[in-house]
Amino acid sequence: MVDCSGQGVLFIEAEADVTLDQFGDALRPPFPCMEELLYEVPGSSSILHTPLLLIQVTRLLCEGFIFAIRFNHTMCDGLGLRQFLSGLGEIARGATSPSTLPVWERELFCSSDQPRGEKYQVPHTNGTPDDMVHKSLFFTTTDISAFRRLIPIDIQRCSTFEVLSACLWRCRTIALQPDPKEDMPFLWPVNVRKIFNPPVPVGYYGNVMAFAAAISTAGDLCNKPLGYALELMMKVKSDVTKGHIRSISDLMAFKGRLYFTDINAYTVSDLTSARFDEVDIGWGKAAYGGAAKGRPGMSYLVPYTNNKGEPGIAIPVCLPSGVMERFVKELNNMLGKSGHDVLEHELPVLSKL
């Protein structure tokens, strides 16, 4: 529920004595000085009783600017945010209204009049270490093909997201060095717009996704081949149905919000289809569009072209400092590489903005 108070959204204008070039050749997460590029307005970081949007526009010396936004995920998913930003861009370029009008029909996902079946379970919260570090991985199409050669022929039709996620899940587990009997949950949001009949209305901007959850013991993930993790993911994804979505909606309504920030749990979200970099608010295509950084236990797949012109996928990762090196080493071993080939070079140190 939204209290339409008429207060608008939080909007900040800022200036920085730096140019875009000073952020380095590789414009991908994690970005430096984020606490200044998106000011932490007191009282704006919770879920309930907080603003829906926080936007900061920072103008640079080179006449470029950084458009940073934090949104309340209870209101929309990535595609819903893309719809909002595209409409905002259309109005900024002179339109009187968005070409796709917003629709809010959340009752489509409720089933309070239906029998309640299996409930959706997620890991509990144990907290996260204090020594977390942020890094960025980059995988070219050649890297992704190399990963595909490691999986059985009968599951070669899996998506790029599934291949990369299975690799990340397995290598992260090896790097964390948990007890072999410990459960290592992997969660990812599944876009379920195509499941509903009649279809979800055009313009609906709310969350149309469900978190699928695959669980394996650490021992099985570490010792079995990559295809094992991949098959677990594909089996779980095939079980996501309209009834599953409504069961989740019911469970949240009756049991409260679900949390899955246990250090063992890992979530990967696919932002490749959102194409935030293509949003035009009057200045053309952005140099980068997507998540600013990963979070503890959560990464994103972001479309990205490096400074050599190679298309691929950037993945921001946040891990304890002692784990990151082992994680990157495992990924490079799978690719048959040495060194830190998939790891982003260290970012330049910027002065205070």
Side-chain angles (χ1 to χ4, degrees):
M1 298 176 64
V2 179
D3 180 8
C4 298
S5 61
Q7 293 178 320
V9 302
L10 295 176
F11 182 81
I12 301 169
E13 296 181 55
E15 295 183 355
D17 293 332
V18 295
T19 65
L20 192 62
D21 289 341
Q22 289 178 264
F23 282 85
D25 293 333
L27 284 176
R28 68 175 190 252
F31 293 101
C33 305
M34 273 307 302
E35 69 280 358
E36 294 175 272
L37 296 174
L38 189 61
Y39 174 63
E40 180 79 20
V41 175
S44 66
S45 59
S46 300
I47 299 297
L48 303 178
H49 311 295
T50 59
L52 301 181
L53 289 172
L54 169 60
I55 297 173
Q56 178 173 328
V57 176
T58 304
R59 187 169 294 279
L60 307 176
L61 287 178
C62 59
E63 298 300 321
F65 62 89
I66 297 172
F67 182 97
I69 181 171
R70 184 171 68 197
F71 69 103
N72 194 316
H73 217 323
T74 61
M75 292 300 300
C76 64
D77 55 18
L79 294 178
L81 178 62
R82 163 63 192 265
Q83 176 186 323
F84 167 76
L85 292 175
S86 295
L88 184 68
E90 289 174 333
I91 293 174
R93 300 195 310 271
T96 56
S97 65
S99 58
T100 301
L101 295 177
V103 174
W104 184 253
E105 295 182 12
R106 192 169 185 269
E107 65 274 8
L108 291 171
F109 306 100
C110 299
S111 62
S112 56
D113 59 337
Q114 299 295 326
R116 288 181 175 68
E118 180 182 356
K119 295 303 183 184
Y120 187 72
Q121 298 181 358
V122 294
H124 55 68
T125 302
N126 279 347
T128 55
D130 295 328
D131 61 338
M132 305 298 281
V133 294
H134 293 268
K135 297 291 184 181
S136 178
L137 310 176
F138 176 65
F139 298 98
T140 65
T141 52
T142 301
D143 293 331
I144 296 168
S145 296
F147 284 137
R148 285 188 178 276
R149 289 194 289 270
L150 301 177
I151 61 179
I153 296 177
D154 58 329
I155 54 174
Q156 285 281 342
R157 296 184 64 183
C158 56
S159 67
T160 295
F161 170 79
E162 290 166 338
V163 172
L164 287 178
S165 294
C167 294
L168 295 171
W169 184 22
R170 184 174 185 272
C171 291
R172 182 180 182 273
T173 301
I174 295 172
L176 285 171
Q177 299 178 336
D179 185 292
K181 296 181 180 180
E182 200 161 354
D183 284 337
M184 304 298 294
F186 179 79
L187 301 97
W188 70 102
V190 178
N191 180 6
V192 294
R193 284 167 171 79
K194 296 181 180 179
I195 290 179
F196 285 84
N197 187 21
V200 176
V202 174
Y204 182 81
Y205 58 89
N207 289 285
V208 193
M209 63 178 186
F211 274 96
I215 300 179
S216 170
T217 63
D220 283 343
L221 270 180
C222 297
N223 297 319
K224 293 184 178 181
L226 179 63
Y228 165 76
L230 185 56
E231 286 184 302
L232 280 179
M233 290 181 57
M234 296 174 71
K235 172 62 169 62
V236 170
K237 183 179 178 181
S238 67
D239 292 338
V240 176
T241 64
K242 181 167 64 175
H244 176 75
I245 308 308
R246 287 176 169 162
S247 177
I248 296 172
S249 177
D250 286 346
L251 180 60
M252 292 180 68
F254 285 89
K255 296 293 186 181
R257 186 166 305 282
L258 308 179
Y259 295 92
F260 37 86
T261 54
D262 187 289
I263 183 59
N264 288 344
Y266 187 37
T267 303
V268 177
S269 181
D270 186 1
L271 300 182
T272 56
S273 60
R275 299 301 314 195
F276 291 112
D277 59 323
E278 295 179 355
V279 172
D280 184 359
I281 52 177
W283 281 264
K285 187 176 179 179
Y288 172 83
K293 62 181 180 179
R295 294 188 292 168
M298 188 164 192
S299 296
Y300 305 90
L301 269 62
V302 183
Y304 179 77
T305 300
N306 66 10
N307 53 10
K308 298 178 182 178
E310 298 174 303
I313 294 177
I315 305 178
V317 177
C318 182
L319 282 170
S321 58
V323 176
M324 183 68 77
E325 186 174 347
R326 294 195 298 268
F327 175 62
V328 173
K329 181 179 179 180
E330 288 298 328
L331 285 168
N332 282 323
N333 286 341
M334 292 182 70
L335 290 171
K337 296 180 178 181
S338 61
H340 289 354
D341 295 305
V342 300
L343 186 62
E344 164 70 320
H345 296 299
E346 293 300 319
L347 291 163
V349 177
L350 298 182
S351 61
K352 285 289 184 178
L353 301 183

